[in-house]
Amino acid sequence: MNLNQILGVLFVVLLAFSGMALPASAAADDCGALSDLLGDCDDANDDGLFNAIKAGVSGLIDRATYSVAGGTDTTAQEQADKVQATFNADSAQIANYSDKRITPTDDYDVIRLEFVDDSGDKASKYLVTTIDANNSISNVEMVDSTDQSIDAYLSIEGYAFEQSETELDRFITNYVDEDKTPQKSYLINKAAKFDGDISGTLLRELSG
């Protein structure tokens, strides 16, 4: 699984690592799977082949279930508003969490998130990160509009659209609030669940 695949399916991680994203130098016991993929860490966050396989199978089952059952009637605007409320309720914690794990760059401090529902209707939010003079993340917020230049965009549809607020809330509870870095099995599970549901210029630019 390459970096482009990881970034292409992990909407939650893209939010949590807003102000994307050069991996920070981090302790080996908490370097995280994303940094590990970039070769900056050892395998401390690799929780083993068995867990990786189990997580991948679980993700595929979830996606297959969604493919059969279909989505809900949630509109693009409703889902975008829910994601925004969940993100902003914990934005200070997310900023602190992200600042410990990445070296922020103003190349990606304004990202447009485009939510696409099953009817094809779209709603946009803007993820705006403020980087202070010490090159630290001082604030991150999801807003309805901005007069700043947009650095990149992501389009979120399908199963990732349906699960975006739920996954974000779980990520905040299980990782941000606990100050824990996801292990590889977590990333593999999300890759299997949301593969192909996220696209946009941010992914193309980061993948070179």
Side-chain angles (χ1 to χ4, degrees):
M1 186 177 303
N2 60 38
L3 177 60
N4 184 48
Q5 290 171 312
I6 288 292
L7 292 176
V9 297
L10 292 181
F11 170 60
V12 163
V13 173
L14 284 168
L15 288 179
F17 288 76
S18 54
M20 292 291 292
L22 299 175
S25 298
D29 61 354
D30 194 33
C31 63
L34 185 60
S35 293
D36 187 80
L37 286 169
L38 293 171
D40 290 333
C41 301
D42 62 18
D43 291 328
N45 280 69
D46 185 347
D47 48 345
L49 179 61
F50 175 76
N51 285 327
I53 292 173
K54 184 170 67 173
V57 170
S58 176
L60 289 172
I61 291 172
D62 287 345
R63 184 166 186 86
T65 301
Y66 165 77
S67 297
V68 172
T72 65
D73 293 329
T74 304
T75 68
Q77 191 63 59
E78 289 170 342
Q79 190 72 333
D81 289 343
K82 289 197 296 182
V83 169
Q84 180 185 35
T86 298
F87 187 91
N88 287 342
D90 288 281
S91 59
Q93 294 93 315
I94 292 172
N96 181 61
Y97 178 91
S98 303
D99 199 47
K100 292 180 180 180
R101 289 165 170 81
I102 67 169
T103 301
T105 167
D106 58 10
D107 291 341
Y108 300 107
D109 58 354
V110 181
I111 300 171
R112 179 167 65 89
L113 303 173
E114 184 178 79
F115 297 83
V116 185
D117 63 27
D118 282 352
S119 299
D121 293 330
K122 301 175 181 179
S124 292
K125 299 291 182 181
Y126 299 86
L127 192 63
V128 180
T129 302
T130 302
I131 302 170
D132 63 24
N134 296 318
N135 202 33
S136 297
I137 298 172
S138 61
N139 185 63
V140 60
E141 184 180 16
M142 196 175 295
V143 299
D144 294 327
S145 62
T146 179
D147 57 3
Q148 298 185 57
S149 298
I150 309 303
D151 296 312
Y153 83 91
L154 289 174
S155 177
I156 304 106
E157 57 187 317
Y159 196 25
F161 167 83
E162 296 285 344
Q163 293 292 303
S164 54
E165 192 274 334
T166 298
E167 289 285 353
L168 175 59
D169 184 60
R170 288 174 179 169
F171 187 87
I172 291 169
T173 299
N174 295 329
Y175 295 99
V176 176
D177 289 348
E178 298 295 324
D179 197 23
K180 293 167 55 178
T181 303
Q183 294 182 302
K184 283 187 177 179
S185 61
Y186 175 91
L187 303 185
I188 290 169
N189 175 265
K190 304 312 170 192
K193 286 177 71 171
F194 303 134
D195 184 26
D197 289 342
I198 300 178
S199 59
T201 57
L202 179 62
L203 304 183
R204 294 195 291 271
E205 290 169 13
L206 290 175
S207 64

